[in-house]
Amino acid sequence: MDAKQSELIIRAQAGDEQAFEQIFMQFEGLVWKMYSQQRVRPQPNDWQQECRVVLHKTLRLLRNQAWAALTIYYQRSLQTHVVQLWRNEYRVLDMQVPILKETVAPYEVKQAVAQYEPTVNEWLTIIIEWYLTLPGKERELAYLLIQGYGMAEAAKAINRSRSWCYGVRRKWQLFYNDEIRKH
């Protein structure tokens, strides 16, 4: 049995599509187990295609043609791939982070505000630190809300439900209330 499996691996590595399909079918249980554990690719066909790509890469990099080595390497590759997909999905691009600009105000306004400047600077520091700790989708939500988007528009733009957005906003309100109590 090991000789047949090793031969199958060698054929698949050489580009034999039938051998590749046979190997992929052997891992069908693992593919669907991993599908049920991940939430990044909700469509089964998308997930199956991702698994085919991972198997192709695994076969290309595999040096030991033993079935056990392929099984372990493929399983670990799938687990790593799920993490990589998640990181790519929730990555925050530089263009998504708003740039804070200092506004120009008349001299009288600057004088009136000067007495509150230390408090304002404290709050601004707290807000910036809080914003930088937000996960990717929450940061995108905050940016869209700051830009004036409604909750429904923002939810649609970041592919999340409105209830998720309202829940996140509630979490932010609780954070804000805790910070108010501290000061």
Side-chain angles (χ1 to χ4, degrees):
M1 187 69 168
D2 290 333
K4 287 183 180 180
Q5 290 176 333
S6 293
E7 181 185 332
L8 194 62
I9 293 171
I10 291 169
R11 285 183 23 226
Q13 287 176 326
D16 185 351
E17 285 297 318
Q18 290 178 343
F20 180 84
E21 284 300 318
Q22 287 177 357
I23 292 173
F24 188 74
M25 290 314 225
Q26 298 263 342
F27 288 116
E28 188 173 14
L30 175 62
V31 167
W32 296 118
K33 177 184 174 190
M34 294 296 293
Y35 172 73
S36 67
Q37 293 175 352
Q38 61 87 31
R39 299 285 180 258
V40 181
R41 294 287 183 256
Q43 297 298 321
N45 292 340
D46 292 344
W47 176 247
Q48 191 176 34
Q49 192 62 31
E50 293 282 347
C51 291
R52 286 177 185 278
V53 170
V54 171
L55 180 59
H56 178 71
K57 289 178 182 177
T58 302
L59 284 168
R60 191 182 68 221
L61 297 173
L62 186 68
R63 299 290 173 243
N64 182 354
Q65 278 81 21
W67 191 261
L70 175 62
T71 303
I72 291 169
Y73 193 35
Y74 184 50
Q75 183 177 12
R76 289 186 181 160
S77 295
L78 280 176
Q79 291 168 345
T80 304
H81 190 68
V82 169
V83 172
Q84 197 62 35
L85 285 172
W86 187 88
R87 286 178 179 159
N88 288 338
E89 179 77 19
Y90 295 100
R91 177 181 56 197
V92 176
L93 303 174
D94 289 341
M95 65 181 187
Q96 295 170 323
V97 179
I99 299 170
L100 300 176
K101 296 180 181 175
E102 189 175 325
T103 58
V104 177
Y107 179 75
E108 299 81 33
V109 173
K110 286 185 179 182
Q111 290 294 347
V113 173
Q115 62 182 339
Y116 299 108
E117 199 166 308
T119 307
V120 169
N121 286 337
E122 262 182 57
W123 277 107
L124 189 57
T125 303
I126 290 170
I127 291 169
I128 291 171
E129 287 173 357
W130 166 78
Y131 181 79
L132 293 175
T133 62
L134 291 176
K137 290 292 181 179
E138 287 187 25
R139 193 179 295 185
E140 288 179 43
L141 176 63
Y143 179 72
L144 290 172
L145 293 176
I146 290 169
Q147 294 297 318
Y149 282 76
M151 195 62 77
E153 293 171 315
K156 188 174 183 179
I158 62 173
N159 296 323
R160 292 289 187 253
S161 66
R162 286 190 331 198
S163 62
W164 180 86
C165 294
Y166 283 115
V168 168
R169 186 179 70 180
R170 179 66 182 143
K171 183 175 82 170
W172 297 343
Q173 288 171 339
L174 295 173
F175 170 81
Y176 175 76
N177 290 339
D178 287 343
E179 289 299 320
I180 291 289
R181 285 188 208 109
K182 288 179 187 176
H183 290 88

